[in-house]
Amino acid sequence: MAAVASGDRSAPSTQTAQLTLEKAAKNEGLTAQVQTASMNVPTRVYIQIAAEDQRARAAKLQMALQNAGFIAPGIELRKDNSPNNTDIRYFSNDIKKQADQVKEEVLKQHFVVTKDPSNRDNGKVHLNQIEVWIGKDENASSTLQ
């Protein structure tokens, strides 16, 4: 579980831990144990950008999220599947409050968020994970401060 919460999503140990958690999710008793343990895992916020010229603004957002107590490990360029508008996604109802807090930080950094964070729970266990997808329509220089 710690591997999923602390590392690179493409690392073999992280992938193995994720598969283990997915199998555990099918066992009700184990699911309850995993949920209890996951409360001790800090919320991670992954930031995806649609264009390289958004990286400077995303870095300011990353710093703001870290100052607010979130773990924001990096910024990933995702040209091909980024939404047009900035989108905040979470993967468990247990962290909706944190997703709303992330939205507030995103708004403070002058990104345009036109809808509430969306729950993308697909049955997999994502330990306290939130994603911020910076939209293609976000101007790289909008209110850089």
Side-chain angles (χ1 to χ4, degrees):
M1 199 163 28
V4 175
S6 66
D8 176 5
R9 290 185 282 180
S10 63
S13 62
T14 303
Q15 292 175 353
T16 300
Q18 187 66 39
L19 286 173
T20 301
L21 290 171
E22 289 171 14
K23 288 179 184 177
K26 296 175 184 172
N27 177 322
E28 289 181 30
L30 222 40
T31 299
Q33 289 177 344
V34 167
Q35 288 172 341
T36 300
S38 72
M39 291 180 172
N40 297 321
V41 176
T43 302
R44 300 180 76 73
V45 181
Y46 293 97
I47 302 170
Q48 283 83 19
I49 55 175
E52 191 59 46
D53 64 358
Q54 296 172 329
R55 191 170 295 276
R57 285 186 70 205
K60 286 187 173 239
L61 172 61
Q62 179 184 27
M63 188 180 313
L65 290 167
Q66 290 168 344
N67 289 339
F70 294 100
I71 295 174
I75 299 166
E76 182 179 15
L77 178 62
R78 299 290 299 267
K79 292 180 189 180
D80 295 334
N81 51 356
S82 288
N84 289 329
N85 299 309
T86 297
D87 190 18
I88 301 165
R89 304 170 184 180
Y90 62 100
F91 299 90
S92 169
N93 283 331
D94 296 339
I95 62 167
K96 181 175 183 347
K97 180 180 175 185
Q98 290 94 326
D100 290 336
Q101 291 171 331
V102 167
K103 178 182 176 183
E104 291 304 315
E105 292 300 325
V106 170
L107 291 170
K108 286 178 189 176
Q109 296 300 314
H110 307 286
F111 288 97
V112 177
V113 181
T114 58
K115 61 183 183 178
D116 286 335
S118 59
N119 186 343
R120 300 292 182 98
D121 189 354
N122 58 6
K124 295 181 181 180
V125 179
H126 294 271
L127 295 177
N128 298 343
Q129 178 176 319
I130 297 172
E131 297 176 351
V132 176
W133 289 75
I134 306 300
K136 294 176 184 175
D137 293 343
E138 289 285 355
N139 184 331
S141 62
S142 285
T143 323
L144 255 181
Q145 297 178 2

